[in-house]
Amino acid sequence: MSKGTPYKEALARFQQVHGTAHELPDTSVDVDALLRDHHPDHLGGSIVDLEVGANRGERCHRQLADMLQSNARIDEADLAGAKTVETDVLIIGGGGAGCAAALTAAKEGARVILTTKLRLGDSNTVMAEGGIQASIDKDDTPQIHYDDTLRGGHNLADKDLVAKMVLDGPDVIRWLIKQGMQFDVDEFGDLLTRRAGGTTADRVVYFRDYTGLEMMRVLRESVLNREIEVWHYSPAVELLSDEQGHCAGAVITDLKKRRNVLVKAKSVIMATGGIGRMHLNAFPTSNHFGATGDGLVLTYRLGAQLRDLDSFQYHPSGLAYPHHLAGTLITEGVRSAGAQMINAEGQRFVDELKPRDHVSSAIIRECAEGRGVDAGESGIGIWLDTPGLDLRNPGIINKRFPKLVQLGKKSGIDPAKTPLLIYPTLHYQNGGVVIDENGQTTVPNLYCVGEVSGGLHGKNRMMGNALLEIISFGRRAGHVAAQSGYQRRHNKVSIAHLGPMQRDLTLAKMPMDLQGPMLFPDYAKFDSDAEYEGLRKTRNREEE
Amino acid sequence: MSNTSEELVQLTINGNEITAPSSLSVIQALWHAGYPRVKSVGCLEGVCGSCRVLVRREDDADVSMELGCQTLVENGMQVIFLVFPTPTHHTYQLDEIKNSWDVQAQFHRIFPEAQDCRHCGGCVKTCPKGIDVEHGVRLANKGRFKEAGDLFIECIMCNLCMTACPELISPNHVGLFSRRVTAYFHIRPSNLINRLEALRTDQLQIIK
């Protein structure tokens, strides 16, 4: 990467041109070429072909492929004497999708256990502050929402899934209000809407820049007040299968009691979220601490089909300075409110409201070609012109973006006066587990909802469609899982599906000592934490 | 994460002596020094309330409650991670409240302790977001739920005020109740309702 202009010098230059109108230069580019040359998905050597499993022979990011083709963390011996619990619906993951599924299934009378690796609500949902898409504006229709979503995803999304999601949009907002969630409204009580990158109408509804926080605290309170059993600090480490290879529950590790529990369930809903904490291509991430792709690994082992494993979203506005906050997200809401991006030469270089992959690639190009701002060990970035936004809309930053103001305080920067330095941050897994319109995977009795599932976003997701997806499909899966559960009996369950998987791994000469799912990023040192020693007897036994 | 050109500081976290660059947060410093840390780590952005820490700074007798991901390390600082408390004992469901005239009576039934507030200020002092928690409880007691809820916009449900309250009021849940009843009974956007009606009568379809 060529060096850009040093931070102080670039800031002085920025302030010289501050207050003048920044015209957008001619930015007509070949988007395909821009992505190919600069998007991190196309970094040399980062993609491999999978060698085992349902997607054998298909493209996958190298780091994700390692985990998908890893060995199990447990074997039969770990389950000897483990407690067994039965339920109708087991939900794995306590973010927005898991909560929406749990509330729906419980309301329909199913016995529900929701298990989550950390605490209920610890998820990317709580951090997704920009807003949620729903076509309610008079100039908008579900059809336009559908067209925008498909185009934003390079026409590679599953059309049936997208149609269901956009038609669900308005009712999702009503459902959230009925749970007690607030939205920003105008003086007449109508929902305020704004654009997002890639939308052709004002469609994002929001609550300040705390949409996900508001959503998550309301859903959490709602779940805790229903007849839903919630297990904290209890990650799933393996799925259970019956004699036909259908999903029949999961093995849950209780981190507080340090033991494994077998949960036999008539239906399992996987809602484990994304993969940001795998730090693909060594990128910083905007993701929650627990976003390590566990659900992908577990469903793949049970034979589920995945898709688009070579496509990830790098959000354009991750904080690049100061160093200790690198990767922290600045909501796209700031750009949709009108903030521009300025390079070290004081120029705009891309329409800030193009789709995220386009904008991110343009930022990476500016920095690669020497027009970035060099902040030393923090790395390189370009300006997000928040002072310009505040100049054109006096007071907007303090009024609309309290979280941005907080971030500024931590950075020692007043965003109304000084621009923030940004660079793309690993944000979202565009693909995931193949599902139908009810979240049903290719494995019977196994559902996936939210970021762990794939198909809704093609190869690029638009802002606000993730919060819509989690509620839309969370409710769909919760409903169907609750219904279908009544008709089945609990079967004999085991982890017998690991046998063929391990044979395939051996034949493909995969390193059998790499265990998955990852559960926590390596810098948390879970695998060397003495507190959890008892959970690792498998490995110790092999070493003896 | 190594960062040698920066100033190094020495501090104690959970009794461990740690040396770390001053630009790191408490959680980052713990990882930097090689200590495992899984519990009490969440969003790392200050919105999930998981990483509650007790902090005492050098030459300061006062102890403050902060968030480990938001607090930068300083020389001589002492930090202790707090265990996350069990959830509040208050339970309610919004659909049990028959109509908006009934909200205040239901509030006093669900949160009977709220009227016992001693105005000790403990909740205000512990709040890492600087919310005037006590005033919020006072407003809710008066039935001014919208106003009370608005005070809690930045509340991340870290439950520190709940831990601090000698009357077991669970002030953050009072705030959330106030916000929820306001949405449940009073957010009725005509643009949303019109769209729902158009969908219900099949006026809007998708051509794939």
Side-chain angles (χ1 to χ4, degrees):
Chain A
M1 187 184 287
S2 44
K3 285 281 173 191
T5 312
Y7 185 88
K8 280 186 182 159
E9 190 185 325
L11 189 58
R13 191 179 299 166
F14 173 89
Q15 272 150 354
Q16 274 173 9
V17 297
H18 176 54
T20 59
H22 292 281
E23 293 300 321
L24 188 60
D26 179 20
T27 52
S28 53
V29 290
D30 177 348
V31 177
D32 290 339
L34 175 69
L35 296 182
R36 194 174 57 238
D37 293 345
H38 296 288
H39 194 279
D41 279 350
H42 300 282
L43 274 176
S46 67
I47 301 290
V48 298
D49 285 347
L50 286 166
E51 296 188 46
V52 302
N55 292 73
R56 187 175 162 188
E58 291 178 30
R59 289 159 53 82
C60 180
H61 191 280
R62 179 179 46 78
Q63 286 164 269
L64 177 57
D66 287 347
M67 288 318 294
L68 291 179
Q69 301 175 128
S70 65
N71 200 357
R73 297 184 84 96
I74 57 165
D75 63 19
E76 293 286 355
D78 292 292
L79 305 184
K83 190 171 111 176
T84 301
V85 175
E86 294 192 7
T87 189
D88 293 331
V89 181
L90 171 66
I91 296 168
I92 302 170
C99 286
L103 287 166
T104 308
K107 188 148 195 183
E108 295 182 13
R111 286 177 302 164
V112 179
I113 294 177
L114 187 156
T115 189
T116 180
K117 182 161 58 182
L118 295 159
R119 303 167 312 149
L120 187 65
D122 282 343
S123 60
N124 283 335
T125 303
V126 76
M127 305 157 73
E129 313 300 16
I132 172 168
Q133 285 205 36
S135 70
I136 51 167
D137 195 73
K138 61 178 174 11
D139 298 326
D140 194 15
T141 62
Q143 182 73 49
I144 304 177
H145 187 177
Y146 172 88
D147 294 340
D148 284 348
T149 302
L150 280 185
R151 191 177 340 98
H154 302 282
N155 294 312
L156 292 164
D158 181 323
K159 292 180 175 175
D160 297 332
L161 298 184
V162 176
K164 293 289 178 197
M165 178 178 78
V166 301
L167 286 169
D168 280 353
D171 195 55
V172 161
I173 305 300
R174 172 167 62 181
W175 185 81
L176 287 167
I177 292 171
K178 281 181 74 178
Q179 303 299 317
M181 177 173 172
Q182 298 193 358
F183 290 92
D184 281 0
V185 292
D186 67 12
E187 56 186 313
F188 306 110
D190 277 355
L191 290 167
L192 288 167
T193 53
R194 62 186 174 207
R195 279 187 64 193
T199 65
T200 54
D202 290 348
R203 189 181 304 127
V204 176
V205 295
Y206 53 92
F207 177 72
R208 307 293 204 277
D209 61 347
Y210 281 131
T211 313
L213 170 62
E214 170 73 355
M215 182 186 290
M216 198 64 247
R217 62 191 170 196
V218 163
L219 292 182
R220 183 204 294 116
E221 196 85 337
S222 206
V223 166
L224 292 176
N225 281 292
R226 293 265 169 205
E227 293 290 311
I228 296 167
E229 204 173 314
V230 178
W231 296 3
H232 294 102
Y233 289 107
S234 299
V237 292
E238 203 57 64
L239 288 171
L240 291 167
S241 52
D242 64 14
E243 290 97 331
Q244 290 91 47
H246 299 176
C247 185
V251 182
I252 307 297
T253 295
D254 181 333
L255 293 178
K256 288 205 161 158
K257 294 183 179 152
R258 293 170 220 165
R259 64 179 188 199
N260 293 316
V261 183
L262 269 62
V263 182
K264 290 169 73 170
K266 293 172 182 171
S267 305
V268 173
I269 301 178
M270 189 67 84
T272 49
I275 47 72
R277 292 281 157 185
M278 280 191 184
H279 295 284
L280 303 183
N281 301 321
F283 261 71
T285 183
S286 59
N287 279 191
H288 191 273
F289 177 59
T292 52
D294 303 352
L296 288 181
V297 175
L298 298 180
T299 52
Y300 194 63
R301 266 188 204 147
L302 194 49
Q305 186 85 30
L306 315 182
R307 57 172 289 171
D308 303 319
L309 300 170
D310 55 353
S311 174
F312 299 90
Q313 182 162 79
Y314 295 78
H315 191 293
S317 48
L319 202 61
Y321 174 85
H323 177 61
H324 69 281
L325 295 171
T328 305
L329 199 68
I330 297 167
T331 171
E332 186 167 319
V334 180
R335 273 177 293 129
S336 49
Q340 299 175 342
M341 301 190 313
I342 310 285
N343 66 17
E345 294 172 2
Q347 303 287 333
R348 285 175 74 194
F349 52 90
V350 66
D351 175 354
E352 290 81 0
L353 288 180
K354 289 289 181 192
R356 285 177 175 172
D357 54 352
H358 180 160
V359 176
S360 285
S361 300
I363 296 171
I364 294 171
R365 178 197 63 204
E366 291 304 292
C367 294
E369 294 177 357
R371 295 184 295 275
V373 178
D374 181 3
E377 57 207 340
S378 290
I380 203 158
I382 57 94
W383 301 120
L384 180 65
D385 185 6
T386 45
L389 172 67
D390 210 59
L391 195 69
R392 291 188 298 277
N393 309 272
I396 189 172
I397 291 192
N398 280 314
K399 189 168 159 224
R400 284 274 181 77
F401 299 105
K403 191 177 173 198
L404 179 65
V405 173
Q406 284 278 345
L407 184 63
K409 279 184 191 155
K410 261 170 67 190
S411 313
I413 292 169
D414 177 356
K417 296 197 174 68
T418 308
L420 295 159
L421 199 66
I422 59 171
Y423 193 78
T425 180
L426 179 57
H427 188 57
Y428 194 80
Q429 156 194 302
N430 293 321
V433 184
V434 173
I435 56 167
D436 73 5
E437 63 182 56
N438 296 314
Q440 169 74 54
T441 68
T442 54
V443 176
N445 313 334
L446 178 61
Y447 301 79
C448 282
V449 290
E451 191 170 346
V452 70
S453 72
L456 276 154
H457 312 294
K459 298 236 183 220
N460 179 59
R461 176 176 67 77
M462 281 200 296
M463 165 190 179
N465 269 348
L467 287 187
L468 174 57
E469 173 193 357
I470 59 175
I471 306 300
S472 164
F473 279 79
R475 290 173 69 199
R476 287 173 169 276
H479 172 68
V480 172
Q483 306 303 321
S484 65
Y486 287 130
Q487 294 142 28
R488 273 198 311 280
R489 299 219 303 216
H490 284 290
N491 287 315
K492 184 178 179 323
V493 304
S494 72
I495 50 172
H497 62 281
L498 293 181
M501 184 275 295
Q502 283 160 335
R503 193 192 59 224
D504 289 350
L505 289 178
T506 312
L507 287 174
K509 299 192 170 53
M510 290 292 158
M512 299 299 282
D513 55 346
L514 179 67
Q515 295 183 329
M518 200 170 156
L519 300 184
F520 299 102
D522 56 356
Y523 40 83
K525 300 188 173 64
F526 173 69
D527 284 324
S528 62
D529 192 338
E531 206 178 323
Y532 302 111
E533 199 56 53
L535 289 170
R536 288 189 292 272
K537 57 183 182 296
T538 306
R539 181 184 300 175
N540 295 343
R541 200 169 51 239
E542 280 167 2
E543 282 167 4
E544 277 164 12
Chain B
M1 216 185 271
S2 72
N3 216 337
T4 47
S5 65
E6 282 182 71
E7 184 203 352
L8 292 175
V9 299
Q10 292 192 307
L11 72 160
T12 6
I13 305 179
N14 284 351
N16 302 307
E17 298 278 348
I18 281 172
T19 305
S22 59
S23 67
L24 299 186
S25 70
V26 166
I27 290 177
Q28 286 172 326
L30 206 54
W31 286 338
H32 173 87
Y35 289 96
R37 188 80 218 167
V38 169
K39 283 184 197 161
S40 311
V41 180
C43 69
L44 300 167
E45 269 190 22
V47 289
C48 82
S50 187
C51 54
R52 313 163 353 137
V53 289
L54 271 172
V55 179
R56 170 172 276 160
R57 290 182 169 74
E58 200 172 35
D59 303 325
D60 191 349
D62 225 14
V63 173
S64 58
M65 315 272 198
E66 302 179 24
L67 299 175
C69 73
Q70 303 288 292
T71 304
L72 299 188
V73 294
E74 293 170 25
N75 229 353
M77 192 184 243
Q78 291 175 289
V79 182
I80 292 175
F81 277 82
L82 292 170
V83 178
F84 202 80
T86 48
T88 172
H89 58 283
H90 300 94
T91 58
Y92 67 94
Q93 287 178 17
L94 290 177
D95 50 20
E96 293 169 352
I97 305 174
K98 292 295 166 244
N99 61 57
S100 52
W101 293 96
D102 194 30
V103 174
Q104 199 165 353
Q106 291 293 330
F107 171 73
H108 290 306
R109 181 186 65 78
I110 298 160
F111 295 95
E113 313 84 353
Q115 296 181 90
D116 302 336
C117 174
R118 306 177 186 177
H119 308 289
C120 67
C123 52
V124 179
K125 191 162 184 292
T126 57
C127 180
K129 293 288 174 182
I131 296 170
D132 191 349
V133 182
E134 191 184 294
H135 186 51
V137 172
R138 190 180 303 137
L139 288 169
N141 273 325
K142 288 183 184 168
R144 287 158 70 173
F145 295 108
K146 180 175 186 311
E147 224 178 312
D150 283 350
L151 275 183
F152 286 86
I153 282 175
E154 297 204 32
C155 174
I156 55 172
M157 301 303 286
C158 69
N159 287 358
L160 277 168
C161 58
M162 202 173 116
T163 309
C165 180
E167 296 287 354
L168 308 176
I169 292 173
S170 300
N172 55 332
H173 291 273
V174 168
L176 188 51
F177 174 90
S178 303
R179 301 180 53 69
R180 290 181 76 200
V181 290
T182 302
Y184 185 80
F185 286 110
H186 302 295
I187 296 191
R188 292 292 179 274
S190 65
N191 51 357
L192 174 64
I193 292 166
N194 287 332
R195 182 50 53 91
L196 285 165
E197 185 59 14
L199 282 164
R200 194 183 65 79
T201 49
D202 276 337
Q203 294 170 48
L204 295 164
Q205 277 145 10
I206 301 289
I207 301 158
K208 286 175 198 161

